[in-house]
């Protein structure tokens, strides 16, 4: 099994694990909180998997994310510090199967390249959205959140994103 620890935040929206990557201060935690709040307000399931450091592992043809043990259940709230997700009204999960990556970048291309829209992690391809600083600072974060929720709902099954049975979910959570 191949593993790595990523400087990222991870949430689950419905059944889709979303990995949010970016430099320190790029807004990973803020975007995660916006996603969790939006999903909860819409009556959907959402939970935090990990903030700041996320452990990724390849299990066959799936990417599984887990929180780093030192920060499990915790998330940074800009200006308020580190808080327990449960104290903010959000659930925390021990693991999820990733179905989408979101890259928060300083400046993105005006027009995407043909290979854009995918990223490769531990040898597996994953759909990827890119959000640059100008988009995030423009006040369009609700639109970005909507795009992410839409992308999760539309992610086709297949490599790194196929649905799993309750028995497989249990095996993932137990580290099998």
């Amino acid at each position: 099994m191949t593993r790595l620890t990523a400087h990222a935040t991870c949430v689950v929206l419905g059944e889709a694990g979303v990995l949010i990557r970016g430099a320190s201060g790029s807004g990973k935690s803020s975007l995660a909180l916006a996603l969790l709040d939006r999903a909860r307000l819409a009556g959907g399931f959402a939970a935090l998997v990990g903030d700041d450091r996320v452990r990724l592992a390849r299990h066959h043809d799936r990417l599984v994310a887990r929180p780093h043990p030192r920060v499990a259940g915790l998330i940074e709230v800009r200006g308020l510090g580190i808080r327990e997700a449960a104290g903010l009204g959000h659930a925390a999960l021990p693991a999820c199967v990733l179905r989408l990556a979101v890259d928060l970048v300083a400046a993105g291309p005006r027009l995407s390249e043909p290979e854009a829209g995918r990223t490769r992690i531990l040898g597996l391809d994953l759909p990827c959205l890119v959000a640059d600083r100008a988009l995030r600072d423009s006040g369009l974060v609700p639109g970005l959140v909507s795009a992410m929720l839409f992308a999760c709902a539309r992610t086709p099954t297949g490599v790194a994103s196929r649905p799993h049975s309750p028995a497989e979910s249990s095996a993932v959570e137990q580290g099998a």
Side-chain angles (χ1 to χ4, degrees), residues 48-113:
L48 174 72
V49 174
D51 185 42
D52 194 46
R53 288 183 286 166
V54 178
R55 290 186 169 172
L56 304 175
R58 180 178 174 158
H59 288 277
H60 306 290
D61 286 340
R62 294 190 196 110
L63 290 171
V64 177
R66 288 186 169 74
H68 189 282
R70 290 188 182 158
V71 294
L74 303 175
I75 189 164
E76 179 183 353
V77 179
R78 182 69 60 188
L80 297 177
I82 307 297
R83 300 284 190 247
E84 289 188 20
L88 300 172
H90 299 297
L93 291 180
C96 72
V97 175
L98 293 178
R99 293 177 69 183
L100 177 68
V102 177
D103 288 336
L104 304 181
V105 299
R110 182 171 172 218
L111 300 173
S112 63
E113 298 295 323

